[in-house]
């Protein structure tokens, strides 16, 4: 029986032509990996650089704390909606065009922000400055949303051979390191610029802007689909068989091959488990956002100073980087049973959250450091894999076989729905801490983690107890 992780080519005895197509496919994979990895790297490089100069924006540029908060909220809102739109666009028009527009647009938005800082719009007129920067950040969120769903779709197009499908978790786990590499690079570049008194902090925005535009030019050279250069993959072969059948039904009339039609949002939600994963990812992302944004504040309230709190909290972010690789590799090792592996990781996370709920005030620095690193792995792994390898598995479901215009839409729906759910859920953190204390926040995160895991329970059961495969009777030749 076909599953989401069934290799696209089943016949081991390939013809010479099939072997040639496979070699051409694999020869281009490294370039597709490199360009799409770099594109998402640039997205996080440009996104993180703004947060590294928040202090300068407040003290030098005159941005109010309210404006900085409004910028974050505006970005998160348009980024969430943009994921859903961008995924569909990537499946409808040429994906590399969408990726390049996102990179060009991000670069232009950062240059406009730099123009605002150099011209001092905020100091000339507060209303003018606020409207200008919020408008820029409104667009910035949309442009930033292209990298995830569309980049994943391009990766799925090229890494579709049997060997890549078997190693899909590891490949996408390595690929999702782009965000952490981008974040770290932004912090290093910003630290270097801020350490030089003769250089304006505005260059922390200009440098990633230039890099984004440059990478956008490179992305235009990327071929998004092997079919464009005549490489016949199993997806193309299935589509051609369907086309031949359609021509036979039409009495031999010539029917034009217009390529696969992009699936609708409704069709994407009809793919088994897409809706459940989308909502589950929202709960997992909410847990991640809460730990990422609130850990330093929690640690300061626990008695650590500002420097100690940030250093300790950084261990959580550090743990997230190998998390995707570990979950991807382990799920590949167990035959693509990603829901089961994710369920195990989330169950372990509940234990750590429970320790925080009852013992957080007694935990010392040497206990917190390994705990937070492990929590980063437990949270980061599932979050990274769901929006990459899992999305690719879902888009390879037999119900859409022969149509590679589904991965962008599926990834965008999962990422966008998750971001919206997480953004709404974050609103509860502040009131919970004020009224009940931090134990209530940890209990809230336990609830979110368990809810997300329960939403995947049917998939976990199907992976652990697969239905028996009906073997076809052997044909007897007389």
């Amino acid at each position: 029986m076909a599953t989401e992780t069934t290799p696209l080519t089943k016949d081991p005895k390939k013809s010479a032509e099939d072997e040639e197509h496979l070699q051409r496919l694999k020869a281009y994979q490294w370039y597709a990996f490199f360009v799409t990895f770099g594109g998402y790297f640039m997205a996080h490089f440009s996104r993180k650089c703004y947060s590294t100069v928040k202090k300068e924006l407040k003290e030098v540029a005159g941005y109010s704390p309210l404006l900085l908060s409004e910028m974050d909220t505006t970005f998160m809102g348009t980024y969430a909606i943009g994921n859903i739109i961008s995924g569909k666009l990537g499946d409808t028009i040429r994906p590399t065009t969408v990726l390049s527009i996102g990179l060009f647009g991000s670069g232009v938005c950062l240059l406009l922000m730099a123009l605002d800082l150099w011209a001092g719009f905020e100091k000339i007129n507060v209303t003018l400055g606020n409207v200008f920067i919020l408008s820029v950040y409104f667009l910035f969120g949309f442009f930033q949303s292209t990298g995830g769903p569309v980049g994943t779709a391009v990766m799925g197009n090229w890494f579709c051979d049997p060997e890549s499908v078997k190693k899909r978790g590891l490949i996408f786990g390595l690929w999702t390191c782009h965000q952490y590499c981008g974040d770290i690079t932004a912090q290093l570049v910003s630290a270097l610029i801020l350490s030089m008194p003769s250089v304006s902090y505005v260059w922390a925005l200009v440098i990633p802007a230039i890099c984004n535009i440059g990478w956008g030019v490179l992305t235009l050279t990327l071929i998004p689909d092997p079919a464009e250069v005549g490489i016949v993959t199993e997806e193309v072969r299935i589509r051609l068989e369907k086309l031949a059948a359609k021509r036979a039904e039409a009495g031999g009339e010539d029917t034009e091959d217009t390529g696969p039609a992009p699936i609708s949002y409704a069709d994407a939600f009809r793919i088994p488990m897409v809706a459940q994963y989308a909502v589950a990812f929202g709960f997992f992302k909410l847990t991640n956002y809460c730990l990422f944004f609130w850990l330093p504040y929690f640690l300061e309230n626990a008695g650590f100073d500002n420097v100690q709190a940030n250093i300790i909290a950084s261990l959580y972010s550090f743990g997230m980087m190998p998390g995707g690789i570990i979950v991807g590799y382990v799920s590949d090792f167990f035959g693509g049973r990603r829901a089961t592996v994710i369920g195990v990781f989330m169950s372990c996370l509940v234990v750590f959250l429970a320790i925080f709920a009852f013992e957080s005030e007694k935990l010392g620095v040497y206990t917190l450091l390994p705990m937070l690193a492990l929590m980063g792995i437990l949270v980061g792994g599932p979050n990274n894999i769901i929006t990459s390898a899992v999305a690719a598995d879902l888009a390879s479901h037999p119900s859409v076989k022969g149509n590679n215009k589904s991965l962008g839409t599926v990834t965008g729906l999962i990422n966008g729905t998750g971001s919206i759910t997480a953004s709404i859920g974050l609103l509860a953190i502040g009131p919970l801490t004020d009224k009940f204390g931090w134990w209530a926040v940890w209990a809230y995160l336990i609830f979110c983690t368990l809810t997300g895991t329960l939403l995947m329970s049917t998939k976990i059961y199907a992976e652990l107890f697969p239905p028996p495969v009906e073997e076809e009777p052997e044909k007897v030749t007389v």
Side-chain angles (χ1 to χ4, degrees):
M1 184 180 71
T3 66
E4 290 94 327
T5 53
T6 301
L8 297 180
T9 305
K10 297 180 182 179
D11 186 4
K13 298 179 180 179
K14 303 179 182 69
S15 64
E17 185 179 352
D18 289 336
E19 188 65 30
E20 179 191 352
H21 287 303
L22 178 62
Q23 292 303 318
R24 290 173 61 197
L25 181 79
K26 297 191 76 66
Y28 198 80
Q29 285 177 345
W30 72 269
Y31 187 68
F33 187 103
F34 172 70
V35 175
T36 53
F37 182 99
Y40 215 160
F41 168 94
M42 290 299 168
H44 278 265
F45 183 23
S46 56
R47 192 183 309 172
K48 186 67 176 178
C49 68
Y50 147 73
S51 63
T52 61
V53 294
K54 272 189 175 180
K55 181 180 178 182
E56 285 71 23
L57 293 175
K58 180 182 176 182
E59 297 178 356
V60 181
Y63 285 19
S64 68
L66 177 61
L67 176 60
L68 293 172
S69 178
E70 289 173 341
M71 289 170 66
D72 290 337
T73 303
T74 300
F75 174 86
M76 288 182 67
T78 55
Y79 176 78
I81 298 170
N83 264 281
I84 298 173
I85 297 173
S86 296
K88 180 67 172 174
L89 280 176
D91 286 340
T92 305
I93 62 178
R94 188 176 172 83
T96 46
T97 301
V98 179
L99 288 173
S100 296
I101 290 173
L103 289 163
F104 291 144
S106 295
V108 170
C109 284
L110 288 177
L111 290 176
L112 288 173
M113 188 173 175
L115 173 64
D116 169 59
L117 297 173
W118 276 322
F121 292 162
E122 195 73 14
K123 294 179 180 178
I124 296 172
N125 185 286
V126 175
T127 303
L128 171 66
N130 288 0
V131 170
F132 180 83
I133 200 64
L134 288 176
S135 299
V136 169
Y137 247 67
F138 180 87
L139 296 173
F140 189 51
F142 280 115
F143 289 128
Q144 284 279 295
S145 69
T146 61
V150 185
T152 303
V154 175
M155 281 286 292
N157 288 344
W158 282 101
F159 288 85
C160 61
D161 59 286
E163 182 184 1
S164 297
V165 171
K166 289 178 182 178
K167 297 179 179 178
R168 179 177 280 164
L170 176 61
I171 291 169
F172 277 100
L174 290 167
W175 185 72
T176 54
C177 288
H178 44 45
Q179 50 190 310
Y180 308 109
C181 294
D183 291 343
I184 293 169
T185 302
Q187 290 174 314
L188 293 175
V189 170
S190 298
L192 178 62
I193 291 170
L194 295 174
S195 68
M196 298 185 288
S198 59
V199 179
S200 171
Y201 72 93
V202 180
W203 282 98
L205 303 176
V206 174
I207 291 175
I210 295 171
C211 291
N212 268 255
I213 293 171
W215 206 267
V217 175
L218 178 65
T219 301
L220 289 173
T221 67
L222 177 65
I223 300 168
D225 191 337
E228 288 192 12
V229 287
I231 298 176
V232 178
T233 62
E234 186 67 11
E235 300 285 352
V236 175
R237 186 176 289 109
I238 292 172
R239 192 178 80 237
L240 292 176
E241 288 174 358
K242 289 179 179 179
L243 181 66
K246 188 183 293 185
R247 285 172 176 167
E249 290 177 3
E253 293 182 13
D254 187 26
T255 305
E256 184 182 358
D257 180 13
T258 57
I263 67 171
S264 65
Y265 292 123
D267 289 335
F269 273 123
R270 288 192 192 102
I271 298 174
M273 287 303 299
V274 167
Q276 290 95 317
Y277 267 116
V279 181
F281 178 64
F283 285 107
F284 297 154
K285 195 165 189 174
L286 169 57
T287 302
N288 176 36
Y289 274 5
C290 179
L291 292 171
F292 184 81
F293 289 120
W294 286 85
L295 258 181
Y297 181 73
F298 161 75
L299 293 170
E300 287 178 39
N301 280 272
F304 296 98
D305 62 41
N306 183 272
V307 175
Q308 289 176 324
N310 279 283
I311 291 174
I312 295 171
S314 68
L315 264 292
Y316 172 76
S317 300
F318 178 80
M320 291 189 73
M321 186 183 298
I325 301 173
I326 294 171
V327 172
Y329 176 80
V330 173
S331 64
D332 286 342
F333 182 80
F334 288 104
R337 292 178 173 86
R338 308 197 206 286
T340 304
V341 175
I342 291 171
V344 171
F345 271 58
M346 290 292 105
S347 299
C348 293
L349 177 65
V350 169
V351 176
F352 282 90
L353 292 172
I355 294 173
F356 268 90
F358 295 104
E359 303 290 335
S360 61
E361 295 181 359
K362 303 175 185 177
L363 298 176
V365 62
Y366 295 110
T367 306
L368 284 170
L369 289 175
M371 277 188 66
L372 290 175
L374 286 171
M375 288 172 71
I377 294 173
L378 295 173
V379 175
N383 274 269
N384 292 341
I385 288 300
I386 287 175
T387 54
S388 55
V390 169
D393 291 344
L394 295 171
S396 301
H397 190 269
S399 63
V400 288
K401 207 72 168 178
N403 186 349
N404 63 352
K405 299 293 186 181
S406 58
L407 181 49
T409 304
V410 169
T411 308
L413 281 174
I414 293 175
N415 212 342
T417 304
S419 296
I420 293 170
T421 304
S423 300
I424 296 171
L426 277 175
L427 297 173
I429 304 300
L432 283 174
T433 56
D434 290 340
K435 193 167 184 179
F436 302 104
W438 279 99
W439 74 268
V441 174
W442 303 120
Y444 176 59
L445 295 185
I446 290 173
F447 168 78
C448 293
T449 304
L450 288 175
T451 302
T453 306
L454 285 172
L455 284 166
M456 301 191 305
S457 59
T458 54
K459 181 63 177 174
I460 294 172
Y461 182 86
E463 290 181 351
L464 293 176
F465 306 101
V469 179
E470 295 182 7
E471 297 183 1
E472 294 182 5
E474 294 183 5
K475 294 181 180 179
V476 180
T477 304
V478 180

